[in-house]
């Protein structure tokens, strides 16, 4: 009695008919999946938008910090002053040795649209050959209520806050 009994023709025919009838999804199953995707999307979209805002401001902050540090390094390495001039949409500073000074223009709003850059002082930022600055400044970067700061202290160090 431990022998395996062969399937009868009636049971194999039933199985083939069931397999043939169950190809694809029913409309009800598709509607349930679409509903679940819609519910997940309603929760995910605000989080995605917030992530995009934070990402844009943080990337702008990192770029500004890197350029401030680069200007300070050039001033110390070449034993000369490096001036950073800010406009509403960009900032400019000179790089390279004095014999071949080149103005580097960073189009801030072109790289980071909708990120506002404000400064605590309207004066140009001048890095002296010692690495210090003529006056400390605070830069505020903001978008949609999210704000980060870059601070340049009197000894010329730029740090993010």
């Amino acid at each position: 009695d431990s022998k395996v009994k062969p399937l009868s023709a009636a049971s194999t025919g039933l199985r083939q008919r069931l397999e043939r009838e169950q190809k694809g999804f029913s409309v009800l199953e598709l509607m349930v999946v679409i509903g679940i995707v819609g519910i997940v999307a309603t929760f995910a979209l605000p989080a995605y938008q917030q992530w995009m805002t934070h990402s844009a401001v943080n990337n702008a902050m990192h770029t500004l910090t890197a350029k401030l540090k680069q200007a300070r390094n050039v001033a110390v390495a070449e034993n000369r002053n490096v001036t950073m001039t800010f406009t509403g949409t960009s900032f400019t500073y000179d790089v390279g040795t004095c014999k071949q000074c080149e103005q580097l223009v960073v189009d801030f709003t072109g790289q980071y649209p909708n990120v506002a850059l404000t400064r605590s002082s309207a004066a140009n930022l001048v890095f002296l050959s010692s690495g210090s600055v003529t006056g400390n400044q605070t830069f505020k970067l903001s978008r949609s209520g999210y704000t980060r700061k870059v601070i340049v202290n009197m000894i010329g160090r730029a740090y993010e806050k």
Side-chain angles (χ1 to χ4, degrees):
D1 288 44
S2 63
K3 295 181 181 179
V4 177
K5 296 180 183 177
L7 293 174
S8 67
S11 65
T12 56
L14 178 62
R15 179 179 292 148
Q16 289 174 351
R17 192 167 21 120
L18 286 175
E19 288 175 357
R20 200 174 36 235
E21 290 175 5
Q22 291 192 0
K23 291 183 180 178
F25 301 104
S26 70
V27 173
L28 180 62
E29 290 170 330
L30 288 174
M31 294 305 289
V32 168
V33 169
I34 290 171
I36 291 171
V37 168
I39 291 170
V40 170
T42 59
F43 289 111
L45 186 61
Y48 176 73
Q49 289 172 334
Q50 181 183 21
W51 175 80
M52 289 296 291
T53 297
H54 288 205
S55 178
V57 172
N58 289 334
N59 287 338
M61 177 185 63
H62 296 318
T63 297
L64 178 60
T65 303
K67 297 302 181 186
L68 290 165
K69 289 179 178 180
Q70 181 182 10
R72 181 177 189 251
N73 288 340
V74 168
V76 171
E78 297 180 4
N79 196 26
R80 65 182 180 88
N81 293 351
V82 173
T83 302
M84 294 187 79
T85 306
F86 292 84
T87 65
T89 60
S90 64
F91 57 90
T92 305
Y93 66 101
D94 57 331
V95 295
T97 59
C98 277
K99 293 177 184 171
Q100 26 180 317
C101 285
E102 177 185 336
Q103 295 293 314
L104 178 67
V105 178
V106 178
D107 179 16
F108 198 74
T109 56
Q111 291 181 3
Y112 306 104
N114 302 322
V115 175
L117 172 64
T118 56
R119 299 180 295 140
S120 61
S121 172
N124 291 338
L125 185 62
V126 180
F127 288 94
L128 304 174
S129 60
S130 63
S132 61
V133 292
T134 54
N136 59 336
Q137 283 205 26
T138 300
F139 299 89
K140 187 189 279 187
L141 300 113
S142 58
R143 177 179 171 186
S144 301
Y146 180 68
T147 302
R148 296 293 304 264
K149 291 181 182 179
V150 176
I151 299 169
V152 181
N153 60 19
M154 289 302 289
I155 60 172
R157 293 210 175 132
Y159 60 95
E160 301 169 350
K161 193 169 185 185

